[in-house]
Amino acid sequence: GNSVTQMEGPVTLSEEAFLTINCTYTATGYPSLFWYVQYPGEGLQLLLKATKADDKGSNKGFEATYRKETTSFHLEKGSVQVSDSAVYFCALSGTNAGKSTFGDGTTLTVKP
Amino acid sequence: EAGVAQSPRYKIIEKRQSVAFWCNPISGHATLYWYQQILGQGPKLLIQFQNNGVVDDSQLPKDRFSAERLKGVDSTLKIQPAKLEDSAVYLCASSLVPYEQYFGPGTRLTVT
């Protein structure tokens, strides 16, 4: 079956540091890949997505590239802010790839 | 546009009691999802509807959980009877673009 593995947290960074959150997946077919973010006290929000190999999703300074050869979709940001503190979830889904599957989330705390 | 609405936001029940959750998706979104999120884990898909038809319910514990989506709009998720391990946040999401999901605030269920 499908599965998503995220790097374990929590991750604590200083403001303006570089962020990488690793995500690897196992799936049948050709899934679309997503990063969702959950800010404190709020619901899950779509952050970015990529629908095919080599696509790069980007939003709010975050980027992730769909790497089929390494089955990865790592989230990166060049300079994090305190307001980026949240839980980040990697997910996959798609018509030909089975049901939506989420990772267990990675908690990011950014300190000033 | 209005987001995904869920009610109630919180519910505390005793084991063996029944409970129902309600979801109103974003207008025009044909696909509706119910997830269970246990503390410290990612959301787990329980059931996915396309209009009022079930696309996937492979992870729905059908001996105690049921869901319906009448007229392809609102949906209800019911648990009867509840067990201690059902304590979780129940998330509803909807999508227009396949699998690009918009989440509601969730219902936090505590079973005592």
Side-chain angles (χ1 to χ4, degrees):
Chain A
N2 294 348
S3 67
V4 175
T5 303
Q6 292 183 229
M7 67 184 285
E8 292 192 16
V11 174
T12 302
L13 296 173
S14 297
E15 208 164 21
E16 299 182 3
F18 184 85
L19 168 71
T20 299
I21 299 178
N22 291 338
C23 171
T24 56
Y25 67 91
T26 303
T28 57
Y30 303 96
S32 295
L33 302 174
F34 304 84
W35 278 100
Y36 287 85
V37 59
Q38 187 169 31
Y39 298 105
E42 299 184 16
L44 279 153
Q45 305 173 24
L46 178 64
L47 180 60
L48 53 85
K49 70 174 185 179
T51 57
K52 61 182 187 297
D54 300 324
D55 269 2
K56 177 185 285 187
S58 62
N59 186 26
K60 298 182 180 180
F62 291 88
E63 293 183 342
T65 301
Y66 189 147
R67 301 286 188 201
K68 190 169 184 293
E69 64 276 14
T70 55
T71 62
S72 65
F73 193 55
H74 304 321
L75 182 69
E76 296 182 336
K77 187 174 186 182
S79 176
V80 293
Q81 305 300 312
V82 172
S83 57
D84 294 325
S85 297
V87 182
Y88 292 82
F89 293 90
C90 185
L92 69 82
S93 55
T95 306
N96 299 317
K99 56 182 168 288
S100 293
T101 304
F102 282 73
D104 284 338
T106 302
T107 300
L108 170 67
T109 301
V110 181
K111 297 190 172 181
Chain B
E1 64 182 0
V4 176
Q6 289 187 248
S7 66
R9 293 294 309 277
Y10 305 91
K11 190 74 176 178
I12 301 174
I13 61 172
E14 295 182 351
K15 59 184 179 184
R16 292 187 291 273
Q17 287 186 323
S18 63
V19 64
F21 312 125
W22 173 80
C23 173
N24 182 237
I26 292 173
S27 178
H29 283 197
T31 309
L32 185 147
Y33 314 76
W34 282 103
Y35 290 89
Q36 179 192 61
Q37 186 177 19
I38 294 172
L39 187 64
Q41 299 181 17
K44 182 182 86 171
L45 181 69
L46 294 175
I47 189 167
Q48 177 181 338
F49 291 95
Q50 179 74 19
N51 295 307
N52 60 351
V54 176
V55 174
D56 189 308
D57 64 356
S58 57
Q59 299 191 117
L60 186 74
K62 298 180 185 66
D63 57 334
R64 298 184 300 108
F65 286 64
S66 65
E68 61 181 7
R69 189 181 185 196
L70 299 176
K71 301 181 180 179
V73 183
D74 292 8
S75 179
T76 56
L77 176 70
K78 297 179 182 177
I79 308 175
Q80 182 178 12
K83 294 184 176 181
L84 295 177
E85 58 260 37
D86 297 332
S87 294
V89 176
Y90 290 84
L91 299 168
C92 180
S94 68
S95 67
L96 177 63
V97 175
Y99 298 100
E100 192 173 302
Q101 298 173 67
Y102 291 80
F103 283 83
T107 297
R108 184 176 299 277
L109 174 67
T110 302
V111 183
T112 63

